[in-house]
Amino acid sequence: MKLLVTGGAGYVGSVCAARLLENGHEVTVVDDLSTGHADAVPPGSTFVQADIAEAAGDLLADGYDGVLHFAAKSLVGESMQDPHKYWQGNVLTSLRLLEAVREHGTPRLVFSSTAATYGEPDTVPIPETAPARPTNTYGATKLAIDHAISSYATAHGLGAVSLRYFNVAGAHGAFGERHTVETHLIPIVLQVALDQREQVQMYGDDWPTEDGTCVRDYIHVTDLADAHLLALDNARPGEHRIYNLGNGTGFSVQQVIETCRAVTGHPIPAAVAPRRAGDPATLVAASDRAREELSWKPKLADLSTIVRDAWDFTRARQQG
Ligand code: UFG
């Protein structure tokens, strides 16, 4: 397929673009490099550096089989302090993209949605039928886009799939996580292992979980990318389907740090810090729907494998 990948210079977008190329697809990446890196765009793709809202119409006029829409502002904390950046950057940009998709009759759209659309869950693991009550602006903007996509599917026959990511981690060879402002647990812990930080702060040890630290469902970025390929194949005209992507197993912050100690051989000092605003205690996915309807089978579910791949990527970058 001839595919447009928005945000293909970012973490998940670059890994997905790489997997699409490995599977024989033709890929154009569009990214404004506001948070991505030009050298993360996989070789073999065509790279257009542009504002997506501005460029989408001209690009899609060339005739594409589908769009994979990764480009987004994605820092939960920042979204609470600067909501305009999120409503404008996520919702308005996506509406402009949807209009371009409609205008040029692009048949398929795969969208990066998030577990943050659910907010504090009533039941764990969380199924797609759980109420969507986001507790932060980031999740609210992603949910708004999900609603817009549903309307476009119904009204204009778009075949769309939203994938609700839980905690994405790991790396796909040379493609991995390298945020300028790092807030995610595993990369932060690995910075401590590289002696770039003194210690990791554990945000709260009084949560209602087994060891008192927050529990998350970590998913390998390569497994996540492969779900996008399956979503493209399974998009049906006029339907908007939503799938959770996680492994269905929760690991606490302490367990993640322990795994990182085992993988890196570094003592990784950790200290308890106050809770972080907006953090739910436990987020674990029920991904049965993706397994059943997309035949998605995560192959790299083991947390040590996820950390090992992130560690190999981080060290390789450190060594230049
Ligand atoms: N944490 C720490 N110390 C840190 C960083 C994180 O204790 O230095 C804790 C957090 O409090 C949380 C867990 O580690 O309990 C995971 O935190 P991350 O920041 O790595 O990930 P989040 O669960 O907050 O968020 C991720 C994505 C969001 C997405 C969300 C949905 O980054 O974009 O999952 O589940 F919305």
Side-chain angles (χ1 to χ4, degrees), residues 114 116 138 167 183-185 201 203 214 216 276 279 283:
T114 169
Y138 165 67
N167 287 62
T183 63
H184 293 126
L185 180 63
Q201 298 196 310
Y203 298 142
C214 286
R216 295 288 182 272
R276 186 171 69 177
D279 270 347
L283 285 177

Side-chain angles (χ1 to χ4, degrees), residues 74-76 114-117 136 138-139 165-168 177 182-189 197 200-204 207 213-218 253 257 275-276 278-281 283:
S74 64
L75 299 176
V76 170
T114 169
T117 53
N136 55 62
Y138 165 67
Y165 309 165
F166 281 64
N167 287 62
V168 189
E177 198 165 7
E182 193 50 77
T183 63
H184 293 126
L185 180 63
I186 291 177
I188 284 177
V189 177
R197 274 179 200 252
V200 55
Q201 298 196 310
M202 298 189 292
Y203 298 142
W207 295 93
T213 63
C214 286
V215 168
R216 295 288 182 272
D217 184 342
Y218 294 87
V253 171
I257 296 170
R275 288 182 175 194
R276 186 171 69 177
D279 270 347
L283 285 177

Side-chain angles (χ1 to χ4, degrees), residues 224-250:
L224 184 92
D226 286 352
H228 292 70
L229 275 88
L230 294 166
L232 272 176
D233 287 343
N234 284 278
R236 299 281 171 270
E239 283 183 21
H240 177 209
R241 302 209 223 153
I242 295 178
Y243 298 101
N244 288 342
L245 296 179
N247 285 308
T249 309

Side-chain angles (χ1 to χ4, degrees), residues 1 13 15 43 69-70 75 81 85 104-105 159 165 184 194 239 316:
M1 290 189 220
V15 172
H69 182 31
F70 298 98
L75 299 176
Q81 281 144 19
K85 189 169 178 180
H104 299 293
Y165 309 165
H184 293 126
L194 281 175
E239 283 183 21

